[in-house]
Amino acid sequence: MKKLDLKDMIVNIDLLLPHKLQMTLKSEPGKTIRPFEVITEVFNLPEEIIKQASIVKQGTVRNTRNA
Amino acid sequence: MSIKTIQDILPLVEKPSRYLGSEINRIKKDHSKIKLSIALAFPDLYEIGTSHFGVQILYNILNKHKEIAAERIFAPGVDMEAYLRKFKISLMSLESHKPLNSFDIIGFSLLCELNYTNVLTILDLANIPFFSSQRDLSYPLIIAGGPCTGNPEPVADFFDAIVIGDGERVIMNIARTWLKWKDSCKDGKENLLKMLSHIEGVYIPAFYEPKFDGSGFQTILPKFSQYTNVKRAIIEDLDKAPFPDAPIIPYGKPEHDRLRLEVSRGCTRGCRFCQAGMLYRPVREKNITTLLEAAEASIAATGYEDISLLSLSTSDYSCIAPLMASLMDKCESRHIAVSLPSFRAGTLTPELMNQIKRVRKTGFTIAPEAGSQRLRDVINKNISEKNVIDTVKYSFNLGWQVIKLYFMIGLPTETDDDLQSIIDLVKELRKIRGPIRQRGKINISVTTFIPKPHTPFQWAPQISLAESNSKMRWLQNNLNMPGIHFKWQNPEVSLLEGLLARGDRRLSHLLVTAYKKGCKFDGWSDKFQYQLWKESFSEAETDVDFFTTRARDMDESLPWDHIDIRITQEFLKKEWENAIKGEHTPDCRWGDCSDCGVCDFNDINPKVFERNKEETTKEIQAKNQIKPFYKKLKVSYSKQEQAKYFGHLELANIFFRAMSRAKIPVKYSEGFHPMPRVSFEDPLPIGMESLNEAFYIIVPDDMKSKAIVKNLNKHLPEGLFINDCRLAPAKTAINTSKLSTYLVTLKKGFFDKEKLQRFRKNAEFVIFQKKERET
């Protein structure tokens, strides 16, 4: 098990609509978090609901703030 | 949960791409424009069924007709099955997601007796009654074909019609007959069955009545005097038979993930245990020109990187050396490997093996079947210990590192000495070293011999479960040595297979009983439940020994007597006598006729080409080509809709093959196993869509990026789209962090605002992540 602080990994998280969420996640070598994990941990939704959700990756950029 | 269709279930099950039906080369027709719909059902998982060449042949033949639509259906995985049952969703075809019970005909491929319970699963999930007698015209016509129909009796009650022999000979006749019957206002099911019974190779079980005497012996009585037996349909000339040169490329990891090229059908080596060797006689070879043309067309249509030469014994194909040389000449520069999945020890020369390894080394399997020469003589497996040893020597010397050997236990007349001979032979093989003195790995696979109908051993007893277990354990203990990996088939599975192989019509009730108890996927070791079968034997009052361990009297009537596969009983009896005497029967393809009864010497003859006597190993000419300059490109793509269900390796294969079909000359790595120089960015988890992913390719400097985008997009399945292709940055930063943005939309329910606020207010939010996550 690896200990992670989600506050470090979630750069941005916004509710666009009650059922629609946008989030920006930071990843670095050896330290990544997936949207599935974020929704599970933050919203504590049942696995089947999350599995049926549509998750679309909008894009990736290099993190120039830390680079 | 809001689950109404299979699409809703896909995010919840393993390997969802199994159920998409959007593969390259699949055919989807508008059902409003067709007159006959046929579902080709394979009673095993997608990965097994898509590897079966017969389904591809029939799919190709039927779909060539504009009035006919053929679609596929496979046994769903147990997770999918559970959801279908829970939400009362009917099983549907892959191509158009049409409910199975709305097809006109459902045709099952019966390749293995252990799939029988899966036939019932498929029927049940389509809300179709199991027994033919329970189905009226409101249900599809249920038919079957495949090697198991040599003895169709255990499943005869389930089917309206059963095809005996080569399906491509019969399938269009069935389709035309059905259309004719439909045009005549669908005049009664019995009338349709009568029309079908006139087709050679079609068995109508309802037109035969089983009678049982006091001792349990079945006699099958025809109801009509002009329909007393069913003759196997044979396709005389394979060169004229339709070949599926644009086969469907399955998703995921199918059992045979390569292009299959059938070089011949039938084998007359005469191994006395081998049912396929009897069922598919005579040998019918394809012309080398036909094969090369088919290979060229199929590679262009699929982009496969492996070709497998298909037949019962590929190295017996008379022109194998020139075929291999020609294929390799075509394939080597394109990095396509050619493999021979089945061959006999003694027929594979070092020259031939040199050809095979010109691209990369494919698997290598030898089947001595028995350890001693005496027992190999009994079974007419005419290979010597020297043949086996020499073949293993050649292969290790040429760089192969793993050899697989097949043996059987429980063959007629087997003694303890014969089993000891397996150990002795393996010990001899262990001594063989490769060129740098390294020892190869030897995988030994052992199964219990199952006497099969229409073979000279059809009267022989199968060994008991206890004996089988004891022999397996003895072999396992004695083969416990370094470099040897011992694998064996569960004797309980063999017992069930033996029971169903030589059973009679009473077994249909056993199958239903077992199915209702939960038996399914009996060929899968993790799903097989012998305890449930034992309970079923008892409930259905099945005397297992009667069908398995009992030696048959040569004069007793057998449940498959009315199925005429064209081999005479006299031949089988003579072969049984020869087996007991250990006498050899030569292969008729190169010698005298062995009088088995199959050939009529008018239409049906062995078709064998003259053996090529030319030097087969052309020196591979060093190609004096100027090496091109290469460049690295970054290809950006989107992965949406159904494509979200592709796993990473699956996606990589889809792109490799699409690039091959699009004729994009990607550079290959060097070494024993050349691979395309393609690298992907971080894999996406299954189920996630992306607007912009990327992979990198190395291609000749003169390749135009725009051409890559245009051509590649023509060859991708639904949901994948190339957005851009440009020169890759000189150095890709590896150790920097990245920011990825995601949009999440719930199909049901809402995100809790308060929980989000709580998260935002917390100074930290610690979680514990499993180190190995599924992607």
Side-chain angles (χ1 to χ4, degrees):
Chain A
M1 299 289 266
K2 196 160 59 175
K3 190 177 166 184
L4 286 177
D5 184 357
L6 282 193
K7 296 291 280 189
D8 288 344
M9 310 291 290
I10 302 176
V11 176
N12 187 34
I13 184 162
D14 283 316
L15 268 183
L16 306 181
L17 288 168
H19 66 291
K20 196 170 272 200
L21 178 85
Q22 191 171 49
M23 60 180 141
T24 301
L25 307 179
K26 186 168 82 176
S27 65
E28 51 195 53
K31 202 173 165 190
T32 53
I33 186 90
R34 296 231 158 88
F36 184 94
E37 292 167 289
V38 172
I39 305 166
T40 308
E41 298 290 348
V42 176
F43 295 98
N44 199 22
L45 285 168
E47 187 179 328
E48 285 196 339
I49 295 282
I50 305 174
K51 276 188 170 175
Q52 286 192 299
S54 153
I55 304 178
V56 184
K57 189 175 166 189
Q58 308 284 296
T60 300
V61 290
R62 278 176 61 195
N63 186 8
T64 49
R65 278 178 278 182
N66 291 347
Chain B
M1 264 197 297
S2 56
I3 288 182
K4 291 185 181 110
T5 66
I6 283 186
Q7 298 301 322
D8 298 328
I9 302 173
L10 293 183
L12 309 173
V13 293
E14 251 193 0
K15 300 180 183 168
S17 59
R18 282 172 177 166
Y19 310 103
L20 296 181
S22 60
E23 305 97 319
I24 295 292
N25 296 333
R26 67 95 169 82
I27 298 164
K28 187 176 171 182
K29 292 187 179 177
D30 177 354
H31 280 259
S32 67
K33 292 180 182 159
I34 57 115
K35 287 186 176 172
L36 168 61
S37 59
I38 301 184
L40 298 174
F42 195 94
D44 207 327
L45 290 177
Y46 174 88
E47 290 76 7
I48 307 298
T50 49
S51 299
H52 176 47
F53 194 58
V55 172
Q56 293 270 7
I57 291 176
L58 300 178
Y59 187 82
N60 176 52
I61 292 174
L62 291 165
N63 278 316
K64 275 194 174 153
H65 291 260
K66 61 179 182 185
E67 293 180 325
I68 301 172
E71 306 198 347
R72 297 160 300 146
I73 184 78
F74 302 94
V78 287
D79 53 354
M80 173 59 91
E81 183 191 337
Y83 280 112
L84 291 174
R85 287 188 193 284
K86 187 174 173 186
F87 295 99
K88 297 187 170 47
I89 297 171
S90 178
L91 197 58
M92 295 176 194
S93 66
L94 282 187
E95 280 76 1
S96 60
H97 297 138
K98 182 177 152 78
L100 201 54
N101 57 8
S102 68
F103 277 81
D104 299 312
I105 300 177
I106 302 174
F108 282 89
S109 294
L110 302 179
L111 267 77
C112 171
E113 292 84 357
L114 299 170
N115 284 343
Y116 286 168
T117 48
N118 290 351
V119 171
L120 302 181
T121 305
I122 291 175
L123 291 176
D124 197 14
L125 290 172
N127 303 310
I128 297 172
F130 295 149
F131 291 94
S132 166
S133 58
Q134 298 168 328
R135 297 189 297 262
D136 59 20
L137 285 175
S138 63
Y139 292 102
L141 184 79
I142 311 290
I143 64 174
C148 287
T149 63
N151 174 24
E153 289 309 292
V155 287
D157 285 336
F158 304 141
F159 296 103
D160 301 312
I162 293 175
V163 173
I164 314 292
D166 293 332
E168 60 265 69
R169 179 91 196 161
V170 182
I171 192 71
M172 277 314 297
N173 287 336
I174 291 181
R176 282 191 203 101
T177 303
W178 191 93
L179 286 166
K180 198 172 154 190
W181 170 76
K182 189 186 177 188
D183 286 344
S184 66
C185 307
K186 286 190 165 185
D187 180 22
K189 187 173 174 181
E190 178 149 329
N191 193 31
L192 170 64
L193 297 182
K194 272 187 185 161
M195 288 166 79
L196 291 171
S197 73
H198 296 307
I199 302 170
E200 186 170 78
V202 173
Y203 170 47
I204 308 294
F207 292 172
Y208 289 82
E209 195 177 352
K211 296 274 184 204
F212 298 94
D213 68 14
S215 311
F217 292 97
Q218 174 183 287
T219 310
I220 202 119
L221 301 172
K223 287 183 182 171
F224 303 103
S225 58
Q226 68 277 29
Y227 188 56
T228 55
N229 69 353
V230 183
K231 207 164 222 180
R232 173 167 70 101
I234 296 182
I235 195 126
E236 297 95 354
D237 188 348
L238 278 190
D239 282 321
K240 290 179 185 157
F243 179 81
D245 53 12
I248 296 167
I249 310 167
Y251 291 140
K253 205 172 165 12
E255 190 189 22
H256 298 294
D257 194 14
R258 55 188 75 97
L259 180 68
R260 284 147 298 168
L261 201 57
E262 188 183 26
V263 297
S264 67
R265 198 172 297 178
C267 171
T268 39
R269 284 282 187 174
C271 298
R272 293 175 179 129
F273 59 87
C274 178
Q275 192 187 36
M278 302 295 157
L279 289 183
Y280 292 103
R281 288 178 175 223
V283 175
R284 289 150 288 162
E285 292 188 344
K286 274 192 177 179
N287 188 304
I288 195 164
T289 313
T290 314
L291 289 169
L292 291 171
E293 284 170 3
E296 195 60 55
S298 306
I299 291 167
T302 60
Y304 273 123
E305 54 292 299
D306 281 286
I307 299 178
S308 179
L309 303 184
L310 196 70
S311 85
L312 288 172
S313 179
T314 308
S315 51
D316 281 333
Y317 176 63
S318 55
C319 302
I320 187 66
L323 174 66
M324 283 298 291
S326 303
L327 275 177
M328 293 314 305
D329 287 345
K330 276 173 182 283
C331 295
E332 189 177 24
S333 61
R334 290 142 86 180
H335 305 281
I336 298 167
V338 181
S339 62
L340 295 92
S342 57
F343 55 83
R344 291 172 72 88
T347 58
L348 204 66
T349 60
E351 288 83 2
L352 200 52
M353 289 164 85
N354 263 324
Q355 292 290 350
I356 302 170
K357 71 163 203 168
R358 272 169 66 184
V359 173
R360 57 180 166 262
K361 294 181 188 67
T362 49
F364 207 94
T365 307
I366 307 170
E369 319 287 4
S372 71
Q373 193 58 51
R374 186 201 71 79
L375 196 51
R376 284 197 294 273
D377 290 342
V378 167
I379 63 176
N380 207 38
K381 184 90 189 184
N382 299 304
I383 57 169
S384 64
E385 187 166 311
K386 186 176 179 309
N387 292 148
V388 178
I389 291 172
D390 286 349
T391 307
V392 174
K393 271 183 191 164
Y394 295 150
S395 54
F396 283 162
N397 272 326
L398 286 167
W400 267 268
Q401 290 168 348
V402 183
I403 301 287
K404 198 169 171 185
L405 294 173
Y406 282 127
F407 291 98
M408 281 189 280
I409 57 164
L411 285 160
T413 78
E414 182 187 73
T415 63
D416 290 348
D417 289 344
D418 296 311
L419 289 185
Q420 180 61 47
S421 299
I422 295 178
I423 311 294
D424 298 341
L425 177 60
V426 173
K427 281 182 178 167
E428 279 303 306
L429 297 176
R430 270 189 83 230
K431 292 177 191 166
I432 299 169
R433 297 284 192 274
I436 51 164
R437 304 290 305 147
Q438 86 281 17
R439 188 157 61 191
K441 194 176 157 199
I442 300 175
N443 292 340
I444 308 288
S445 183
V446 184
T447 57
T448 305
F449 166 64
I450 298 165
K452 292 273 174 127
H454 305 291
T455 68
F457 292 162
Q458 65 179 355
W459 296 281
Q462 182 171 340
I463 58 170
S464 69
L465 190 57
E467 198 180 346
S468 182
N469 274 320
S470 150
K471 287 181 174 179
M472 285 293 188
R473 271 196 301 271
W474 186 86
L475 281 174
Q476 189 175 22
N477 290 337
N478 285 280
L479 285 170
N480 185 12
M481 47 185 103
I484 304 297
H485 178 67
F486 180 77
K487 205 176 143 193
W488 49 286
Q489 188 180 45
N490 179 353
E492 291 165 348
V493 172
S494 303
L495 184 80
L496 178 64
E497 189 181 336
L499 167 68
L500 298 172
R502 291 193 294 172
D504 60 28
R505 279 211 195 176
R506 287 170 293 188
L507 297 197
S508 60
H509 290 279
L510 168 71
L511 283 161
V512 173
T513 306
Y515 169 75
K516 286 183 174 167
K517 284 183 175 292
C519 293
K520 61 184 80 167
F521 292 108
D522 298 299
W524 292 78
S525 55
D526 59 332
K527 306 277 189 304
F528 179 66
Q529 300 184 75
Y530 189 58
Q531 183 55 37
L532 296 184
W533 276 103
K534 279 207 299 190
E535 290 166 23
S536 307
F537 297 151
S538 168
E539 278 180 37
E541 296 178 357
T542 304
D543 181 352
V544 179
D545 287 333
F546 177 84
F547 294 107
T548 56
T549 58
R550 179 178 65 89
R552 270 71 166 168
D553 190 293
M554 283 215 169
D555 294 323
E556 82 175 58
S557 71
L558 299 169
W560 51 91
D561 275 348
H562 56 304
I563 304 299
D564 178 7
I565 68 151
R566 298 178 188 252
I567 287 183
T568 63
Q569 288 291 302
E570 291 71 32
F571 172 76
L572 295 179
K573 285 177 182 171
K574 194 178 81 193
E575 277 298 282
W576 171 252
E577 286 161 14
N578 287 343
I580 300 303
K581 289 186 269 183
E583 280 182 11
H584 168 51
T585 302
D587 187 339
C588 66
R589 89 183 83 186
W590 298 303
D592 291 336
C593 170
S594 54
D595 212 13
C596 70
V598 168
C599 295
D600 61 10
F601 301 104
N602 285 318
D603 299 322
I604 303 169
N605 289 298
K607 190 180 173 193
V608 182
F609 295 97
E610 201 173 324
R611 278 186 197 238
N612 191 293
K613 295 185 177 67
E614 288 171 23
E615 184 58 53
T616 57
T617 48
K618 284 191 287 180
E619 246 184 61
I620 303 159
Q621 291 170 353
K623 286 173 189 144
N624 225 356
Q625 288 175 339
I626 299 163
K627 284 193 175 175
F629 288 105
Y630 287 97
K631 63 183 174 186
K632 187 175 182 181
L633 297 175
K634 179 179 181 180
V635 183
S636 304
Y637 66 97
S638 57
K639 184 182 180 225
Q640 293 176 282
E641 297 158 10
Q642 289 202 341
K644 71 181 176 182
Y645 295 118
F646 300 143
H648 183 60
L649 293 176
E650 180 168 27
L651 185 74
N653 263 336
I654 289 169
F655 278 122
F656 292 161
R657 288 167 186 169
M659 284 189 274
S660 171
R661 290 193 301 278
K663 297 188 169 47
I664 297 169
V666 179
K667 192 182 180 193
Y668 271 68
S669 60
E670 308 284 332
F672 280 128
H673 198 84
M675 292 297 287
R677 297 280 302 272
V678 180
S679 56
F680 286 80
E681 288 190 340
D682 295 341
L684 275 184
I686 291 178
M688 189 188 291
E689 296 174 81
S690 178
L691 302 182
N692 201 10
E693 294 294 299
F695 63 86
Y696 298 86
I697 54 174
I698 296 178
V699 292
D701 200 36
D702 57 355
M703 272 303 293
K704 301 269 186 294
S705 295
K706 276 188 181 172
I708 290 177
V709 175
K710 193 177 162 192
N711 291 334
L712 203 44
N713 272 330
K714 284 183 195 162
H715 291 278
L716 289 174
E718 289 165 31
L720 289 178
F721 189 78
I722 306 296
N723 301 319
D724 186 38
C725 175
R726 61 182 65 210
L727 215 53
K731 272 190 179 178
T732 312
I734 300 167
N735 288 319
T736 53
S737 65
K738 291 176 194 163
L739 301 178
S740 301
T741 301
Y742 302 89
L743 189 66
V744 184
T745 311
L746 293 180
K747 274 195 165 181
K748 198 182 178 193
F750 303 102
F751 291 107
D752 187 337
K753 261 187 188 171
E754 285 180 15
K755 283 182 179 160
L756 183 59
Q757 290 304 333
R758 215 174 300 144
F759 169 77
R760 283 183 172 142
K761 280 180 191 166
N762 283 349
E764 60 172 23
F765 199 102
V766 173
I767 64 160
F768 292 91
Q769 190 180 54
K770 279 184 194 165
K771 278 198 175 166
E772 281 181 29
R773 288 168 304 163
E774 274 187 29
T775 55

